[in-house]
Amino acid sequence: MKFAILHILCEGQTEERFVRDVLAPYLQQFNIYPKPILLLTSRKKNARGGMVSYSQAKHDLNLLRKQYADNGSEHHVFTTMFDYYALPDDFPAFRQATKINNAHERVEFLERKFAEDMNINSFVPYIQLHEFEALLFSDISKLEYDYPRSHNEIMQLNKEAATFANPELINNSPETAPSKRIIKTLSDKYNYNKVQSGATVAALIGIDVILARCQHFREWTEQLRSVCGN
């Protein structure tokens, strides 16, 4: 039996830690072994994390494809974990996508165009609606574990989350995007630690709850299992 090695190109350290601590244990049940890789921001400085342009992501994915090929014991699959929020506008068909009103359909359209442009076998592009913190709104009350002096404020966030059928649909704007809501809520007492809290809170929520609440995220994991042969 071949092992499925899943190379996940991550936009930042938050996604990298989430993959390592939360997503990987789940996928390993299906003999899928994720390897998070941070985007290379500066080749000269060997700095990683943060997306500057689509060409940057394309370059990194092409390097991965050249480095890893299927063999007698390993099946290599490639994917991404990028936020739709603040996605660079040089992404394939980005301007066309802005004309699609339905957020779910818009991001699926971008993923299809991304896959067509990359033209890589066993590639499953994923763009998170609207950003990583949307997953935390599956049960944002768990944020209190890291920020205990903000109970009342976090309960207000919880009420806001309840108005959305799917937390992935929380607004894509500089004022009301999921991370911006968290930062504003905690600002009187805490500085939000995105990297640490992202994976910690997601683990407290549990992958099963996130899968149940977040449609696009769930569809991605199902597609990964299919492409990886599970």
Side-chain angles (χ1 to χ4, degrees):
M1 181 183 71
K2 284 189 176 184
F3 291 98
I5 310 299
L6 178 63
H7 305 272
I8 305 180
L9 188 62
C10 298
E11 181 171 342
Q13 293 178 340
T14 306
E15 291 82 3
E16 179 190 37
R17 185 168 175 178
F18 170 78
V19 168
R20 186 191 68 205
D21 295 351
V22 182
L23 185 61
Y26 169 74
L27 290 177
Q28 285 167 6
Q29 300 175 83
F30 307 101
N31 293 316
I32 301 170
Y33 298 91
K35 292 178 60 177
I37 306 104
L38 277 173
L39 274 168
L40 184 62
T41 307
S42 171
R43 295 182 185 88
K44 290 183 179 179
K45 298 179 180 179
N46 195 31
R48 292 185 176 273
M51 185 181 299
V52 177
S53 66
Y54 172 68
S55 60
Q56 164 199 8
K58 185 172 183 176
H59 178 270
D60 283 12
L61 281 167
N62 279 325
L63 280 181
L64 285 173
R65 177 179 59 172
K66 292 174 183 176
Q67 288 174 341
Y68 299 100
D70 288 1
N71 55 47
S73 60
E74 294 178 346
H75 172 43
H76 292 271
V77 176
F78 307 90
T79 188
T80 56
M81 196 169 187
F82 301 157
D83 289 345
Y84 175 69
Y85 178 69
L87 194 72
D89 62 8
D90 63 337
F91 246 75
F94 183 87
R95 296 193 184 282
Q96 288 175 261
T98 61
K99 299 176 183 178
I100 301 172
N101 292 327
N102 183 285
H104 198 166
E105 293 176 2
R106 187 188 314 134
V107 81
E108 287 184 331
F109 172 79
L110 282 168
E111 288 169 345
R112 287 196 301 273
K113 295 301 181 180
F114 187 10
E116 290 170 8
D117 188 65
M118 291 303 309
N119 192 27
I120 296 176
N121 290 333
S122 298
F123 176 50
V124 181
Y126 178 64
I127 301 171
Q128 174 63 52
L129 261 174
H130 281 97
E131 60 176 342
F132 171 81
E133 278 76 12
L135 304 180
L136 305 187
F137 276 82
S138 298
D139 184 359
I140 198 64
S141 68
K142 294 296 191 293
L143 192 66
E144 191 176 352
Y145 177 87
D146 269 359
Y147 306 96
R149 292 189 290 112
S150 291
H151 171 79
N152 291 337
E153 293 87 346
I154 291 170
M155 289 306 102
Q156 181 57 42
L157 270 186
N158 207 36
K159 289 181 182 179
E160 292 177 19
T163 65
F164 293 89
N166 177 348
E168 292 174 312
L169 300 180
I170 292 174
N171 316 49
N172 177 41
S173 103
E175 291 79 33
T176 57
S179 65
K180 304 304 181 184
R181 291 172 186 252
I182 294 172
I183 291 167
K184 183 179 179 181
T185 294
L186 300 177
S187 61
D188 287 345
K189 299 173 183 176
Y190 296 101
N191 291 319
Y192 175 56
N193 187 326
K194 178 182 174 75
V195 176
Q196 176 182 312
S197 295
T200 300
V201 174
L204 288 169
I205 294 168
I207 191 73
D208 290 339
V209 173
I210 294 172
L211 288 168
R213 294 288 323 274
C214 299
Q215 178 186 349
H216 190 57
F217 178 80
R218 180 176 66 252
E219 291 169 346
W220 175 47
T221 61
E222 290 170 351
Q223 192 176 1
L224 290 176
R225 288 175 57 185
S226 176
V227 173
C228 289
N230 292 278

